[in-house]
Amino acid sequence: MLPVLCRYESRHTALGTDDTNVLAEFLRDLFSNTTSAIKVGNACIAEWGSVPASEWVAEMCATLDGEEFVDSKDLAAIIENRIREDFTHERTIEVQGWILSRTEATLCCLAANTLHS
Amino acid sequence: MVEADLCIVGAGAAGITLAREFVGHSTTVAVVESGGLELEDKTQSLYEGRVSGFPYRYPNTMRLRYFGGSTNHWSGNCRPLDEVDFLHRPWLPYSGWPFGRNELIPYYQRAQAVCGLQAFDYAIESWMDEARLRNFPFDPKKLLTGIKHISAPVRFGTAYRHELEDAANVTVYNHGNLTEIEATETAKHVTGLQCQCLTGKRFRVRTSIYILATGGIENARHLLASDAIQSEGLGNGHDRVGRFFMDHPHGIAGWIVFRNRFNIVDLYQAKTRRNAFVKGVVTMSPQILSGEALSNIYFNLAASMSRSEGEKSVSALLQSFREWEVPDDLLSHLGNIIADLDDVGEAAYHRMTDNADPFNKLRVHCRIEPTPDPDSRVTLTSDRDALGMRRIDLHWKPGDLALKSYNRGVEILALEVGRTGLGRMQVQPAGDSGWPDRFEPSGHHIGTTRMHAAPEKGVVDANCRVHDIDNLYIAGSSVFPTAGCNNPTLTVVALALRLADHIKNRS
């Protein structure tokens, strides 16, 4: 689905896989507190409407397309940069008044769709 | 009969400033003030009237009708109008003053002392020399940091009463209400003022020069009510008097939740620095105002401490921040914030502090420049007050451009907060009117006797003289053609000083 993300360690191929368990592991690794990420995600979904997880995956993959990273620290830095670019280019969503970047909102939606429990 | 060289009607910020300028001068001055030395309900009720446009807290609760005027309850916030405020802006109808900001700078400098402030210095660079102070790293093409000075605040009635009492050439007549401005048959020269006390006593004032300094609504009311010669009201040959009423919509636009960087926000705290009580504010850059065709806006930031259970997660988040780094658990803490919005919001309203503890968030207060609109206006009704004067109807229209500018301005601030990694901003939801529900007018009554070089476009000329009347002047914010977004008192005082100089030179 997203070749560039599949180049590195297996656990970071999550976004490009259909394996839900691998994706969940990826998200748990990204969010130290998945409960809160799910809360944000659910709030975003309430704004955007329910969307299949595959679409969030596709959007996230599109966001990260072309980026290379070797570990989660790299990935966090890439995501932070994407978040800043979102604010620069006004790619934002308003959730209960909070102005969030589309990247961070998408990740939370992905968490909400994937990490139900 | 009261006789003098100069009559000033109204003893508020403008009237008292004018009168003080003549202390010890050869000109004899009569100051006629509606109230006494304390607030009195019967006098205050002379302000009452109707409201018909955008919801408005009625002006008799906003302005004070006794010696010292509304400086008896003003907040003391002072900042001169911005350079852009004086310019003709094609996107802002009826904009443009007859002169630029530089014309007022010498008077602003003098106004500082009148308002109890230190030297005129509003350049942010001047206040950045303290080692710990930093401003937010916003894109300067979008947002700037400015400075405002905060007065004690000086209550003009208390501070300057004895100076006027001791002046041999100035006499203050309290409890004297102007009821009619008399003029020659051509309406080109004022011949006297009819005044009345609430006790029924009447008297007449006759001087060479007259200045109305009764506030942004009453100045227009007096002209409209003086209809014996001109049926449409004195000085109203072009139907401008009472029109273009403006006030600054203001309120809490939202909150910024940000990292724990006290030395950054310190600049935005009201503190004494170099003997001046000053505070940083966020303003829109001239480029963005012109580029996006916005009216002027300023953001006043107030720190809030987190204390509620819900906000502890915010605090934990902020403690974990490192400069220009997003913490690993940013998203999870955002989840806590969103899950606990009520606590966050409630606490932001009620908790402010100026101590040295770290701040978790800033409450964002916003003030917006209203749109000049001839249909936003003061008119007279058939109702009459205790003196027999017709009461007013206030039809306020803050303007679509003001609302658009507010929404876009807040959006730009939120985007910059996110882009710079400072944190995130939560904005107030819009109410039915399009404005957030808790937005309200500021009590700044502006524009009803607007200044313009052309008689058909304004009520007073660049010297604040009523067009076509050789000895009637107006002082106060009613002469502002546009309102800017800063508190008007410093500009009111500066214009009063300028008017005093003009009259002295005329003499």
Side-chain angles (χ1 to χ4, degrees):
Chain A
M1 190 181 290
L2 187 67
V4 69
L5 291 175
C6 302
R7 288 183 197 157
Y8 303 98
E9 298 173 47
S10 61
R11 66 186 183 137
H12 293 307
T13 63
L15 284 173
T17 181
D18 292 329
D19 185 333
T20 307
N21 290 332
V22 176
L23 180 59
E25 184 187 350
F26 165 81
L27 291 168
R28 286 194 191 95
D29 192 49
L30 183 67
F31 295 112
S32 63
N33 183 341
T34 54
T35 305
S36 296
I38 291 169
K39 283 182 186 172
V40 177
N42 284 329
C44 293
I45 289 168
E47 292 285 330
W48 276 336
S50 183
V51 176
S54 59
E55 292 194 21
W56 299 128
V57 171
E59 177 159 344
M60 203 61 237
C61 290
T63 297
L64 297 176
D65 191 15
E67 295 287 357
E68 296 184 358
F69 53 91
V70 294
D71 57 25
S72 59
K73 207 170 179 180
D74 273 0
L75 180 57
I78 290 168
I79 289 173
E80 180 191 348
N81 194 43
R82 292 295 177 175
I83 288 172
R84 286 187 186 183
E85 287 182 4
D86 280 351
F87 282 111
T88 301
H89 298 293
E90 306 191 17
R91 293 189 297 259
T92 58
I93 174 176
E94 184 178 329
V95 182
Q96 296 180 22
W98 293 97
I99 308 298
L100 305 178
S101 93
R102 194 166 174 95
T103 296
E104 66 191 355
T106 302
L107 283 166
C108 290
C109 290
L110 198 51
N113 268 7
T114 308
L115 308 174
H116 299 293
S117 57
Chain B
M1 172 75 79
V2 171
E3 291 188 296
D5 298 321
L6 169 66
C7 178
I8 301 166
V9 184
I16 288 177
T17 299
L18 278 158
R20 289 184 67 234
E21 285 298 297
F22 287 92
V23 170
H25 193 265
S26 57
T27 302
T28 56
V29 179
V31 179
V32 179
E33 163 58 39
S34 173
L37 297 177
E38 302 288 341
L39 184 66
E40 297 163 60
D41 289 344
K42 282 186 179 176
T43 301
Q44 190 69 14
S45 69
L46 295 171
Y47 275 146
E48 289 176 3
R50 292 185 206 154
V51 169
S52 60
F54 196 80
Y56 200 92
R57 277 192 296 132
Y58 198 72
N60 62 328
T61 65
M62 292 181 153
R63 313 306 288 169
L64 296 178
R65 196 171 175 127
Y66 66 101
F67 190 71
S70 296
T71 67
N72 287 301
H73 71 175
W74 76 310
S75 62
N77 289 293
C78 291
R79 187 170 150 77
L81 292 177
D82 299 323
E83 195 163 348
V84 69
D85 297 329
F86 293 87
L87 303 177
H88 170 65
R89 290 163 278 172
W91 62 91
L92 186 67
Y94 304 100
S95 59
W97 287 52
F99 46 78
R101 188 173 185 263
N102 282 344
E103 166 69 19
L104 278 191
I105 292 295
Y107 302 102
Y108 275 134
Q109 290 169 342
R110 288 165 54 187
Q112 290 283 116
V114 177
C115 293
L117 306 171
Q118 296 296 315
F120 182 86
D121 186 353
Y122 289 85
I124 183 64
E125 297 78 14
S126 301
W127 302 95
M128 298 297 290
D129 54 358
E130 294 183 37
R132 292 177 63 245
L133 288 183
R134 292 177 55 190
N135 56 343
F136 290 140
F138 296 141
D139 180 352
K141 291 179 182 169
K142 295 179 179 174
L143 298 173
L144 304 171
T145 293
I147 288 291
K148 72 173 177 179
H149 289 234
I150 305 172
S151 171
V154 170
R155 308 293 180 209
F156 282 43
T158 305
Y160 300 125
R161 172 186 166 188
H162 294 299
E163 181 183 351
L164 297 183
E165 283 178 344
D166 294 344
N169 66 318
V170 177
T171 307
V172 178
Y173 298 88
N174 282 332
H175 295 118
N177 297 283
L178 169 63
T179 55
E180 174 82 25
I181 306 167
E182 301 171 335
T184 56
E185 286 187 6
T186 58
K188 293 187 180 302
H189 185 82
V190 172
T191 54
L193 304 179
Q194 291 287 346
C195 298
Q196 189 177 337
C197 304
L198 280 169
T199 57
K201 182 180 177 182
R202 295 170 187 268
F203 62 99
R204 186 164 181 268
V205 179
R206 190 171 67 191
T207 60
S208 301
I209 296 172
Y210 303 84
I211 303 174
L212 296 183
T214 59
I217 291 176
E218 294 295 296
N219 281 346
R221 183 186 180 197
H222 286 304
L223 291 176
L224 292 170
S226 298
D227 56 0
I229 303 296
Q230 274 184 289
S231 59
E232 64 273 24
L234 200 59
N236 197 26
H238 297 281
D239 191 21
R240 300 285 90 175
V241 175
R243 294 188 182 272
F244 299 97
F245 174 82
M246 292 177 278
D247 197 339
H248 295 117
H250 82 117
I252 295 171
W255 297 267
I256 297 172
V257 177
F258 72 114
R259 74 186 62 201
N260 183 4
R261 292 290 299 174
F262 176 73
N263 63 337
I264 292 179
V265 297
D266 196 37
L267 178 62
Y268 302 87
Q269 295 296 304
K271 288 196 172 178
T272 301
R273 298 187 170 96
R274 303 204 311 261
N275 296 321
F277 197 47
V278 298
K279 186 180 192 301
V281 296
V282 176
T283 65
M284 306 290 285
S285 73
Q287 294 100 312
I288 203 122
L289 293 178
S290 61
E292 300 207 16
L294 303 175
S295 55
N296 209 349
I297 309 168
Y298 103 5
F299 298 105
N300 189 41
L301 310 176
S304 300
M305 289 294 291
S306 291
R307 296 188 192 279
S308 74
E309 285 302 311
E311 287 186 287
K312 284 179 181 172
S313 64
V314 180
S315 181
L317 163 69
L318 294 161
Q319 291 290 342
S320 73
F321 268 96
R322 297 292 180 270
E323 190 165 8
W324 313 133
E325 291 179 0
V326 174
D328 293 341
D329 54 353
L330 170 65
L331 298 174
S332 63
H333 281 296
L334 282 172
N336 286 344
I337 294 165
I338 289 172
D340 199 19
L341 281 181
D342 289 344
D343 282 351
V344 173
E346 188 65 20
Y349 269 102
H350 296 300
R351 295 200 184 93
M352 289 190 293
T353 179
D354 59 358
N355 65 26
D357 291 331
F359 296 107
N360 294 333
K361 63 177 176 292
L362 294 176
R363 184 186 59 183
V364 180
H365 175 265
C366 181
R367 194 184 304 284
I368 305 103
E369 178 178 32
T371 314
D373 181 346
D375 293 330
S376 179
R377 64 186 300 200
V378 172
T379 54
L380 298 183
T381 70
S382 56
D383 298 339
R384 293 184 184 269
D385 67 16
L387 299 168
M389 283 193 70
R390 292 165 67 189
R391 293 192 184 277
I392 61 121
D393 177 271
L394 177 60
H395 189 83
W396 182 42
K397 296 174 71 178
D400 293 341
L401 179 60
L403 179 57
K404 173 196 161 189
S405 301
Y406 164 75
N407 285 324
R408 182 57 180 154
V410 171
E411 185 179 28
I412 288 168
L413 179 62
L415 291 168
E416 281 296 287
V417 167
R419 185 190 65 79
T420 54
L422 285 169
R424 298 290 179 271
M425 182 169 174
Q426 185 194 23
V427 301
Q428 286 271 46
D432 293 340
S433 66
W435 294 92
D437 283 338
R438 299 188 192 192
F439 263 58
E440 57 182 10
S442 302
H444 303 154
H445 301 158
I446 296 170
T448 56
T449 62
R450 71 194 316 261
M451 184 192 300
H452 199 284
E456 63 274 16
K457 294 182 178 179
V459 177
V460 300
D461 66 14
N463 290 318
C464 298
R465 183 177 62 81
V466 176
H467 283 294
D468 300 329
I469 301 179
D470 65 0
N471 62 341
L472 179 61
Y473 292 84
I474 295 183
S477 52
S478 65
V479 305
F480 294 10
T482 52
C485 58
N486 297 326
N487 296 64
T489 301
L490 189 69
T491 302
V492 166
V493 171
L495 282 171
L497 293 169
R498 180 173 175 271
L499 176 55
D501 279 6
H502 169 77
I503 289 173
K504 286 176 185 174
N505 291 334
R506 167 186 162 128
S507 303

